[in-house]
Amino acid sequence: MRVLLTGGTGYIGYSVARSMTAEGHRVTALTRNPGSAGGAALAGLGVRPVPGQLTDRAALTASISEVDAVVHTAYDPDDSTGGDRALFAALDAADGRKHLVYTSGCSAYGEHSHALLTPGTPLDPGNPRTRLEAELRDAGLPHTILRPGMVHGGDARSSIVGTWFREARDTGPVHRGRRDKVWSWIHVDDLARAYTAVLRDPGHHDGRSYLVADAHPVSAMAVVQAAARATGSSAALGFAPIEDENPLYRVFDRDEIIDSSATEAALEWAPREKDVVESIPRSYASWLETDQAG
């Protein structure tokens, strides 16, 4: 299948690119600078990087016209909705029916009190992610939505675990917010395989939303401590209020426990990395290599 990938030089996007090319898909990646190190890394996988961004309607339209499906992993913290809406509009105007595999997240549930997140759990209608999902459905575009748990693994760049590596190494580990909160996790490579699983039969998954996580929830504090151990930090664990957290993660100051059994059955997919704490040392080695190269 011919696939357009957004966010291909990013943390999740690069793993998705690797998974798709391994399955034989012909992947084009829309990137601001194809000649960058990230663009070169994509080219090394067999991906064709092309210049452009989501706000560049001409480049986006041209790229969409050449593919059968689009996988959207790009995220701009300075404009968390504009790029998505530009993509929806370009797909709506495109000739043919291009299937969109869309990345949402568990923030769509808002500041909830649900003991377990399942396919039947109601979303928070006021949440920006929820509104974007609704706009996608209302547009009538062929699509599948993935809502990952907390992503970890690989080089951890731009993930909360990467932040914890850096803090533990440089100033000492810090846990923010509720000390008892437990989260569901997903390794970035297992998440990438979920995108690829959708592409095996996109029509079968049209209009569906899938929660993606392993079956071993772990407290945020335990992962902060594991990250500190991996760095060799001997500093005592510090504590800070949730207001000191990156705004992207403040909404998660509660249990975020996911039942992804329906996803496993529908996609014929299962996580291979089943314990975030066990994977932390390998992830730190990759993070350190990337940090030193940068």
Side-chain angles (χ1 to χ4, degrees):
M1 181 178 289
R2 300 171 302 166
V3 184
L4 174 64
L5 174 65
T6 73
T9 60
Y11 175 47
I12 294 174
Y14 184 77
S15 286
V16 174
R18 185 168 52 203
S19 180
M20 289 194 297
T21 55
E23 288 220 354
H25 294 293
R26 290 172 287 167
V27 182
T28 298
L30 194 68
T31 179
R32 288 184 175 90
N33 183 6
S36 67
L42 287 172
L45 295 175
V47 173
R48 181 171 69 97
V50 297
Q53 50 190 322
L54 293 175
T55 54
D56 183 347
R57 183 60 178 268
L60 183 58
T61 300
S63 296
I64 288 173
S65 70
E66 298 176 349
V67 300
D68 307 302
V70 177
V71 173
H72 180 48
T73 69
Y75 177 77
D76 182 353
D78 296 323
D79 183 4
S80 60
T81 61
D84 298 61
R85 289 184 172 125
L87 178 59
F88 298 165
L91 283 164
D92 191 41
D95 293 331
R97 304 282 288 170
K98 318 289 185 174
H99 193 96
L100 172 63
V101 187
Y102 179 69
T103 309
S104 184
C106 289
S107 63
Y109 296 98
E111 298 183 3
H112 65 81
S113 58
H114 305 296
L116 188 67
L117 301 178
T118 72
T121 303
L123 301 178
D124 172 12
N127 186 273
R129 280 283 137 206
T130 302
R131 291 197 294 268
L132 286 168
E133 289 190 22
E135 290 173 25
L136 175 56
R137 287 191 295 272
D138 291 346
L141 299 170
H143 71 277
T144 305
I145 296 170
L146 297 186
R147 298 190 197 113
M150 294 296 176
V151 184
H152 72 95
D155 62 17
R157 55 191 163 121
S158 74
S159 74
I160 196 169
V161 177
T163 299
W164 292 342
F165 286 150
R166 185 173 301 282
E167 285 184 336
R169 187 194 65 177
D170 295 349
T171 58
V174 178
H175 177 79
R176 295 173 176 83
R178 278 181 45 180
R179 301 187 184 191
D180 62 342
K181 59 190 175 189
V182 175
W183 292 344
S184 286
W185 300 83
I186 185 67
H187 192 282
V188 67
D189 290 341
D190 286 326
L191 175 58
R193 292 192 302 104
Y195 288 89
T196 308
V198 172
L199 292 176
R200 292 182 191 131
D201 189 359
H204 179 71
H205 305 291
D206 187 17
R208 300 188 183 186
S209 301
Y210 296 120
L211 288 157
V212 187
D214 65 35
H216 186 51
V218 176
S219 71
M221 187 186 297
V223 181
V224 172
Q225 292 171 317
R229 288 194 300 272
T231 69
S233 172
S234 59
L237 177 63
F239 297 93
I242 194 61
E243 290 76 17
D244 288 356
E245 182 60 272
N246 181 323
L248 185 63
Y249 295 105
R250 287 177 194 164
V251 71
F252 299 118
D253 196 30
R254 57 189 41 77
D255 290 348
E256 295 283 340
I257 303 176
I258 291 170
D259 177 4
S260 64
S261 57
T263 300
E264 295 190 26
L267 296 182
E268 299 181 351
W269 160 95
R272 294 170 181 167
E273 293 281 352
K274 300 181 180 180
D275 188 334
V276 57
V277 171
E278 288 184 359
S279 76
I280 286 291
R282 297 191 303 276
S283 183
Y284 178 66
S286 296
W287 177 88
L288 189 61
E289 182 178 349
T290 300
D291 184 64
Q292 290 173 338

